Amino acid sequence: MLLQDRTAFVTGGSGAVGSAIVRTFVKEGARVAFSYRDHADRAQALVAELEAGGATVRAYPLDVLDGQAAQALDRQIEQEIGPVDILVNNAGLTQVMPFALIEEEDWDQVMDINVKGTFLVTKAFLRGMIRRQRGAIINLGSLAGMRILEVPVHYATAKSAIMGFTLSLAREVARYQIRVNAVIPGMLSAGVGLNVPDRQKEEYKRYCTLGRVGTPEEVADLVVFLASERSSYINAQGIYIDGGI
Ligand SMILES: NC(=O)c1ccc[n+]([C@@H]2O[C@H](COP(=O)([O-])OP(=O)(O)OC[C@H]3O[C@@H](n4cnc5c(N)ncnc54)[C@H](OP(=O)(O)O)[C@@H]3O)[C@@H](O)[C@H]2O)c1
């Protein structure tokens, strides 16, 4: 197992990609804490499913825009299941709308949850990693922020920012034996991709070498690899997982 004796925290574990990451981390032997915001029901169902298999897994409510709550959660997780040495900044959202319809509050919401939330949660969990001189941070980017695509401009901007965050943070914290990488999924079969109009899904499949959208489980396998020592010489990268497009 790739993550034996490791403790991971995943934001947005109640969502499509987050729950796949939580399941795969558990399968690879990690103790896993994850957060949810609105969907306590999904979070509790996931905990029940995984505990039934003997896993150590905990779900916590957290708005990623509450930095103080994130700091308190870091301490709580350490007390309850162990010090976090893997952080996955997965919580995010998009709104499918053309540029002309994006209002200032839409812009702020999408930028805040995707970018500021990643900043606040990372700040909260990084301190312990620096103290222990050990850690892996994986941020969820998106192809939306990296290619010329018909995607919401505020979402593309936010996901592009995730790459800048990843590169500079990786440079700064490598001296503490902490690696920071991003995964850059293309269109997936579940989660935020569900809101994309059918016409765009068909277009994606046409230009994708593998001719299909990806699955949250495929993304989770890449996240596990980046969290594990198997990727010990991979740092400051944004790794595409898009079926080749
Ligand atoms: N699915 C795709 O096609 C795709 C492609 C590329 C990248 N991604 C990225 O993958 C990540 C996960 O997306 P997904 O597809 O799994 O979406 P999803 O199913 O909608 O899940 C989003 C998760 O984020 C949480 N969340 C939203 N706002 C939050 C906030 N303010 N504070 C805390 N948690 C919050 C949600 O919690 P609750 O549901 O409990 O409120 C949920 O767990 C995102 O960063 C997304 O941009 C997805």
Side-chain angles (χ1 to χ4, degrees), residues 126 130 164-180 235-236:
L126 191 59
I130 290 175
F165 180 89
T166 300
L167 297 179
S168 54
L169 185 66
R171 182 71 190 87
E172 186 173 325
V173 301
R175 70 194 67 151
Y176 308 114
Q177 315 306 320
I178 299 166
R179 293 182 299 114
V180 187
N235 193 31

Side-chain angles (χ1 to χ4, degrees), residues 12 14-17 37-39 62-64 90 155 159 188 190-192:
S14 48
V17 176
R37 191 182 60 166
D38 297 336
H39 291 104
L62 176 72
D63 185 333
V64 293
N90 162 79
Y155 181 65
K159 288 302 180 181
L188 305 178
V192 297

Side-chain angles (χ1 to χ4, degrees), residues 14-167:
S14 48
V17 176
S19 59
I21 294 170
V22 170
R23 283 192 183 92
T24 311
F25 275 10
V26 162
K27 207 167 68 189
E28 294 297 340
R31 296 178 292 270
V32 184
F34 71 88
S35 72
Y36 60 91
R37 191 182 60 166
D38 297 336
H39 291 104
D41 50 341
R42 291 185 195 163
Q44 275 144 22
L46 183 59
V47 170
E49 169 198 319
L50 293 169
E51 277 184 342
T56 301
V57 58
R58 300 274 191 286
Y60 304 91
L62 176 72
D63 185 333
V64 293
L65 296 179
D66 187 342
Q68 283 191 344
Q71 284 179 25
L73 188 55
D74 177 48
R75 291 189 292 273
Q76 189 180 351
I77 295 169
E78 179 167 357
Q79 282 161 10
E80 292 184 3
I81 63 170
V84 170
D85 57 7
I86 299 166
L87 168 64
V88 184
N89 285 306
N90 162 79
L93 97 168
T94 187
Q95 300 161 326
V96 179
M97 54 172 72
F99 183 72
L101 294 186
I102 298 175
E103 299 297 343
E104 188 176 341
E105 53 268 32
D106 301 320
W107 180 272
D108 286 345
Q109 191 188 20
V110 169
M111 291 297 288
D112 279 357
I113 292 174
N114 290 291
V115 185
K116 191 173 174 185
T118 296
F119 160 66
L120 290 173
V121 173
T122 303
K123 194 168 162 62
F125 282 81
L126 191 59
R127 284 186 193 157
M129 291 185 186
I130 290 175
R131 233 182 7 253
R132 293 183 289 275
Q133 303 267 306
R134 170 186 168 91
I137 299 174
I138 297 102
N139 302 316
L140 266 289
S142 169
L143 199 65
M146 314 303 284
R147 294 272 195 274
I148 305 168
L149 294 169
E150 195 177 336
V151 292
V153 171
H154 51 354
Y155 181 65
T157 309
K159 288 302 180 181
S160 177
I162 291 297
M163 262 328 288
F165 180 89
T166 300
L167 297 179

